[in-house]
Amino acid sequence: MNTNTTIAQAPAAAPAQASSIVRLQDVSKIYGSGDAQVRALDDVSVGFGAGEFTAIMGPSGSGKSTMMHILAGLDAPTSGHVFVEDTDITTLKDTALTKLRRDRIGFVFQSFNLVPTLDARANILLPMRLAGATPEKEWFDLIVTSLGIADRLSHRPSEMSGGQQQRVAVARALMSRPAVIVADEPTGNLDSHSTDEVMDLLRRAVDELSQSVIMVTHDTATAAYADRVLVCRDGRIVSDLRDITADNLTAALR
Ligand SMILES: Nc1ncnc2c1ncn2[C@@H]1O[C@H](COP(=O)(O)OP(=O)(O)OP(=O)(O)O)[C@@H](O)[C@H]1O
Ligand SMILES: [Mg+2]
């Protein structure tokens, strides 16, 4: 955690930086039409630093998941541009976008999204298999050992605890060395012990592997693992914190 800066109250949004691994530029997302129209994202510009752990917080309905889906290429913005490693993904055709998503982005969701019929090993290796890539054995061994799931590799998801399943999902995301790991409430279904384990792991991926991580969380203790916390409200980023203390988070979320 940094201690030498104070809360930056970003007027509209944090500036997008050239060194960003992912960058949103003037992104808006409007769902529905007429009276039912919802502006889920309202002209957001923000850059996510390479090798940085960013947490996104904010009330329910403030646009967090919408932002994650759009920056990961799972959904298209109504207007604006999204850059992943300098590629404007809003201009990509479906096949190119699918490939970029598969090769460059690691996903971790609240519901784990593991394939129930496959054991842990096969789940971890599945994205690389689908990509026709050869997994590095040493990398695989390092990941499953440091995640504490080396002795669970032949277990199916239904034979593992929630924390173990989520660690398998994190291993799967790390396996292809993606440009960025995108995690939407990755610990939302976990008890506090498993939450700490998964957060320690993501933190280590950032510190030891220079992995970039963008994570949505409702929990201030979970957000405290990050280097930077963005707070969303009504489809905008209203705070950009790097001095992540309990007091600062409480003030920004008020
Ligand atoms: N597919 C959709 N169709 C219509 N409206 C949507 C759709 N997805 C999201 N919305 C609306 O967009 C707004 C932002 O939703 P979003 O899911 O991004 O919020 P969130 O910050 O992730 O909330 P939560 O903390 O509850 O997960 C909400 O008003 C929501 O109702
Ligand atoms: Mg959400």
Side-chain angles (χ1 to χ4, degrees), residues 82-102:
V82 180
F83 299 87
V84 175
E85 293 179 310
D86 297 328
T87 299
D88 183 350
I89 66 171
T90 56
T91 64
L92 293 181
K93 298 234 179 348
D94 272 358
T95 43
L97 182 58
T98 303
K99 182 170 165 12
L100 179 138
R101 243 187 350 241
R102 189 187 63 201

Side-chain angles (χ1 to χ4, degrees), residues 3 10 55 96 126 232 252:
T3 52
L126 184 63
C232 291

Side-chain angles (χ1 to χ4, degrees), residues 5-157:
T5 49
T6 50
I7 305 176
Q9 288 286 347
Q17 289 151 8
S19 63
S20 302
I21 197 94
V22 174
R23 189 159 63 86
L24 303 189
Q25 187 184 303
D26 305 326
V27 167
S28 291
K29 179 68 178 181
I30 297 168
Y31 288 112
S33 57
D35 285 351
Q37 188 167 307
V38 175
R39 187 175 285 268
L41 287 181
D42 188 7
D43 199 24
V44 172
S45 295
V46 63
F48 296 89
E52 202 166 44
F53 191 162
T54 306
I56 300 176
M57 302 193 77
S60 181
S62 58
K64 304 180 298 295
S65 293
T66 302
M67 184 164 16
M68 298 295 270
H69 290 159
I70 285 176
L71 67 83
L74 291 168
D75 204 354
T78 306
S79 60
H81 295 272
V82 180
F83 299 87
V84 175
E85 293 179 310
D86 297 328
T87 299
D88 183 350
I89 66 171
T90 56
T91 64
L92 293 181
K93 298 234 179 348
D94 272 358
T95 43
L97 182 58
T98 303
K99 182 170 165 12
L100 179 138
R101 243 187 350 241
R102 189 187 63 201
D103 296 346
R104 305 307 299 144
I105 299 175
F107 294 95
V108 182
F109 292 114
Q110 185 171 0
S111 55
F112 315 140
N113 282 334
L114 300 177
V115 179
T117 51
L118 298 179
D119 67 15
R121 177 192 302 277
N123 264 292
I124 293 166
L125 296 176
L126 184 63
M128 297 201 76
R129 291 261 147 82
L130 292 176
T134 309
E136 291 166 52
K137 188 180 180 318
E138 282 177 16
W139 183 235
F140 176 87
D141 289 345
L142 179 69
I143 289 173
V144 298
T145 305
S146 53
L147 287 185
I149 49 175
D151 59 349
R152 290 288 182 280
L153 294 175
S154 59
H155 292 228
R156 291 184 186 180

